């Protein structure tokens, strides 16, 4: 016997968001929280800023002044697992979104709007002006948002799509004061696993969820990863975000 779901149309900025409706309950096929896999097929980073935010109409809609965000993603597309380390700094106010969370991966190129494909747990305030969220999710993915065809915007989405065209994806978060987005940034691919550090070693694959394992950011950072370790490198990244 099929389950009944009730839906309602939300308004954003006074205009009806006719293309999006919110599910009263997430489908049974929604993503699950899992441990990090032993290997990853790719890794990506996002430096999110308020000036990159775009409205659903595709017009510039700057987010919160002074806010920044870093989104570090590690993907195993064979197992449909994405691990995430998300840090928001200078973000104030409550989260708000028609999706089931307010922190997303959207399929949207630079300067364009696009549907959410993955909804991540919202970063939690650490008491120092920084909000963080870390973990791993395994698909199939759902967002709680419906498109014009009546399907969840996560339906049919696979992590291989990110690997095929990372520049067409963006990370963002939304608050009540900045419904279009408080910060936003495009994905950039970075090295993953076994990368030569230049100090006679390599940045080895890790297994802890949300620790930043396997992630090294650019040639200039590889030696630092070798000296500090990947967990410390994530701490450096977060401090850089806080310092703007």
């Amino acid at each position: 016997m099929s389950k009944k779901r009730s839906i309602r149309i939300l308004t954003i900025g006074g205009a009806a968001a006719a293309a999006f409706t919110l599910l009263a309950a997430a489908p049974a096929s929604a993503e699950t929280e899992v441990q990090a896999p032993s290997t990853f097929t790719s890794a990506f980073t996002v430096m999110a800023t308020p000036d990159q935010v775009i409205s659903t109409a595709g017009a510039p809609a700057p987010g919160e002044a002074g806010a920044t965000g870093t989104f570090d993603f590690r993907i195993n597309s064979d197992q449909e697992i994405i691990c995430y380390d998300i840090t928001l700094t200078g973000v104030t106010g409550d989260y708000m979104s028609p999706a089931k969370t307010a922190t997303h991966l959207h399929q949207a190129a630079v300067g364009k709007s696009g549907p959410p494909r993955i909804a991540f747990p919202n970063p939690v305030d650490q008491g120092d002006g920084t909000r963080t969220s870390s973990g791993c999710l395994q698909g199939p993915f759902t967002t709680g948002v419906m498109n014009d065809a009546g399907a969840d915007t996560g339906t049919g989405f696979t992590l291989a799509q990110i690997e095929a065209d990372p520049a067409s994806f963006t990370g963002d978060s939304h608050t009540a004061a900045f419904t279009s987005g408080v910060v936003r940034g495009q994905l950039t691919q970075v090295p993953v696993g076994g990368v030569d550090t230049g100090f006679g070693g390599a940045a080895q694959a890790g297994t802890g969820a949300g620790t930043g394992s396997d992630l090294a950011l650019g040639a200039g950072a590889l030696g630092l990863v070798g000296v500090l370790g990947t967990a410390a490198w994530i701490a450096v990244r977060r401090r850089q975000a806080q310092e703007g």
Side-chain angles (χ1 to χ4, degrees), residues 178-196:
F178 299 95
T179 55
S180 292
V182 65
V183 290
R184 167 182 159 148
Q186 301 300 128
L187 269 65
T188 300
Q189 190 158 10
V190 295
V192 58
V195 180
D196 182 7

Side-chain angles (χ1 to χ4, degrees), residues 135-148:
C136 297
L137 299 175
Q138 185 171 34
F141 301 100
T142 61
T143 65
V145 171
M146 303 294 280
N147 61 22
D148 288 327

